[in-house]
Amino acid sequence: MKILICGKGGCGKSTIVALLAKEIAVRENKVLVIDSDESNIGLHSRLGMQKPEDFMNYFGGKKVLFEKTRELKDKWRLDDLPRDYLTEKGNIQLLSMGKIYQFGEGCACPINALSSKFLEILDLGDEEFLIADTDAGIEHFGRGVEKGADILFVVIDPSRESILLAEKVSELGRQVNKPVYYILNRIADQETEEFLLNSIDREKVIAIIPENKEVFISGLAGNEFNMDVEGISEIADMLESKKRARVKAE
């Protein structure tokens, strides 16, 4: 199953990705984490892993990515991934599509194009999951990254921008025929929770993650996340349930 995590900048996408990947991996599943955010450089530390070399370099670098991406047609499996561009820890593998490093080097469009094609051609087994951490906002929709995903999660923090973005992602999800679910994040009190639930389609909410000082301090220090966080196991339960239903249907 391929899961795509999106939301506005600073809402906690990378935190949710890391926590969810660890929870799913503990359940004896293989998890490929895709870092497709060209500006966030901290996901690997949350997973307790080394930063892998940019996957775009496997194809010759950013300048030739558009051309090389168009040449990708055959299906890939996890075992086909080049080991020199992966870091691994237990049942988790981390693949970083690419980053922006220099002033004036150009936009991240080629990186998003690679992410889009890769999600489309990757063929996963029954006990394998892909979790993709996207860049902030909705540019990845414009590049078609969601086309290869099975399910879309929107992380919503207590902000008006998150509420509006969730509505937009739901609209875009309908256009590409992908299910969209919401994760409320950093909820400090009942009043905030109720306000958000009354501001969005609450039927789409699959988890409510409370504000967590341990997560905040660990992220601030660049340490690995090794804590249990309320709401994460519920998301993993939902995904495993959908996986079982799909396998049964097949």
Side-chain angles (χ1 to χ4, degrees), residues 50-240:
Q50 295 295 314
K51 182 183 179 300
E53 182 178 348
D54 291 345
F55 190 42
M56 65 180 181
N57 294 335
Y58 175 75
F59 301 95
K62 185 179 173 186
K63 291 183 178 180
V64 297
L65 267 186
F66 278 132
E67 177 184 349
K68 295 295 184 179
T69 297
R70 285 193 292 268
E71 296 174 1
L72 291 174
K73 294 181 174 61
D74 296 333
K75 290 290 186 180
W76 287 38
R77 302 299 301 267
L78 290 188
D79 290 341
D80 298 326
L81 298 178
R83 317 316 288 181
D84 290 343
Y85 296 85
L86 286 173
T87 53
E88 303 182 56
K89 187 172 184 178
N91 286 330
I92 300 177
Q93 297 177 322
L94 175 62
L95 185 71
S96 178
M97 288 299 176
K99 303 292 181 184
I100 299 294
Y101 294 104
Q102 297 178 352
F103 173 80
E105 72 171 79
C107 70
C109 298
I111 300 171
N112 271 327
L114 175 60
S115 298
S116 175
K117 190 65 175 182
F118 181 76
L119 262 69
E120 186 179 352
I121 67 173
L122 185 66
D123 193 11
L124 295 177
D126 292 340
E127 306 302 321
E128 296 173 346
F129 287 81
L130 178 151
I131 305 177
D133 186 14
T134 66
D135 49 348
I138 57 174
E139 182 180 351
H140 40 87
F141 276 94
R143 283 288 165 190
V145 176
E146 281 70 14
K147 181 170 58 175
D150 296 310
I151 191 168
L152 312 180
F153 289 162
V154 186
V155 181
I156 302 174
D157 68 2
S159 68
R160 185 63 183 168
E161 291 79 9
S162 267
I163 293 171
L164 295 175
L165 185 63
E167 295 171 354
K168 184 62 178 179
V169 170
S170 287
E171 176 188 336
L172 293 169
R174 285 192 294 271
Q175 292 177 16
V176 74
N177 197 29
K178 303 294 181 181
V180 176
Y181 297 93
Y182 298 157
I183 300 171
L184 305 189
N185 191 37
R186 295 200 295 265
I187 306 305
D189 50 50
Q190 188 68 32
E191 182 180 4
T192 300
E193 179 181 324
E194 284 302 317
F195 182 87
L196 287 176
L197 289 174
N198 290 330
S199 301
I200 59 177
D201 182 353
R202 65 171 63 206
E203 292 186 0
K204 293 181 181 294
V205 176
I206 58 167
I208 298 173
I209 312 297
E211 195 171 51
N212 188 307
K213 188 173 182 180
E214 186 181 5
V215 170
F216 173 76
I217 295 298
S218 185
L220 186 63
N223 295 331
E224 180 180 1
F225 287 169
N226 281 317
M227 67 287 290
D228 291 326
V229 174
E230 182 181 337
I232 297 298
S233 61
E234 286 82 355
I235 304 172
D237 289 343
M238 175 260 211
L239 290 172
E240 289 206 313

